Structures are given as C-alpha cells and as structure tokens.
Amino acid sequence: MTYVIAQPCVDIKDRACVTECPVDCIYEGARTLYINPAECVDCHACEPVCPVEAIFHEDDLPGHWAHYLAVNAEYFDEAASPSRARRDTAGDHPAVEALPPQSGPHKKEISFFTVRKEEAADADLWFPS
C-alpha cells in the first residue's frame, strides 16, 4: 500500500508533504511531486498537510485520477525510462509533461504555514478571524 500524488499538485508543488515525510520518499519533478511506492511506509503524515488535497491513499484515489497510481510508480521505474535518473533530474512523467498549465490556486495564494485538518477542527471559536 502507498500514497499517491495526483493532478492538483501539478504546477503548485507546495512541498509541505516533503517536510512531513519521515522516510523522505517524496521527490520533486519539474511540475509536480512524486511519492516513491517502494519507499512509502503508508504512515499518513503527508496527506493532511497538503493544502491542495492532492495526496490520496491508493485505495481512496478518485476514479478520474486513478492513472496517477501508475504515474507515480513509473516515474521511479528505471525500465520505463532508463535515460533519466529518477532522483537526480527534475523531469516529469510524460503524462504530467503533456498537461497544459494548470489553473487554480497559485503558490502565492497558499498559506506558508499550513494547518492540519485536525487542528482546524480544534480552532478556538472565541476568536474568529
């Protein structure tokens, strides 16, 4: 079992998940981040800190992004693309490279300090913002 980074991360790359990952299994491509399925320990640390909700457990991956399970795995598969060293270059999987520029929240619109979903539920309601 592993976690998967899907399309909402493309052209955003917030990197909050990278700092939370205890085993450093999240790598950066040119336009998105990738989780190495061979290194992921299924700890759930990355999912709640993603501000664009791009990280899913492989069993919970929405149907329209189901191909991202293969995209993440193939990014690290030496046989699929032997000319590119997985961790040494900032290339992308061909499916990500083929995407047009993604619209939506831009990096400057995402808070630098992200709040976990669990912490947001415990917010002090006496001091509304």
Side-chain angles (χ1 to χ4, degrees):
M1 299 291 205
T2 186
Y3 278 82
V4 177
I5 297 178
Q7 188 168 339
C9 184
V10 176
D11 295 331
I12 299 291
K13 295 193 319 184
D14 176 74
R15 295 180 191 85
C17 57
V18 175
T19 58
E20 282 295 316
C21 182
V23 294
D24 296 327
C25 68
I26 303 173
Y27 297 89
E28 185 173 351
R31 296 180 63 196
T32 192
L33 300 171
Y34 299 90
I35 295 177
N36 188 333
E39 297 175 0
C40 180
V41 295
D42 199 25
C43 70
H44 181 71
C46 58
E47 184 183 19
V49 299
C50 180
V52 293
E53 299 180 356
I55 302 174
F56 300 90
H57 190 271
E58 69 178 284
D59 293 337
D60 299 328
L61 197 59
H64 58 286
W65 291 327
H67 65 285
Y68 277 90
L69 181 60
V71 166
N72 276 258
E74 289 170 5
Y75 182 77
F76 297 97
D77 185 13
E78 295 295 328
S81 181
S83 63
R84 182 179 51 171
R86 287 294 119 336
R87 297 174 194 140
D88 298 335
T89 62
D92 276 308
H93 186 276
V96 174
E97 289 175 350
L99 289 172
Q102 301 297 294
S103 60
H106 297 286
K107 189 165 181 136
K108 63 184 174 186
E109 296 172 4
I110 297 174
S111 172
F112 181 74
F113 296 100
T114 57
V115 177
R116 293 181 185 198
K117 293 174 189 171
E118 295 87 4
E119 293 171 350
D122 296 332
D124 189 351
L125 302 177
W126 286 100
F127 299 100
S129 48

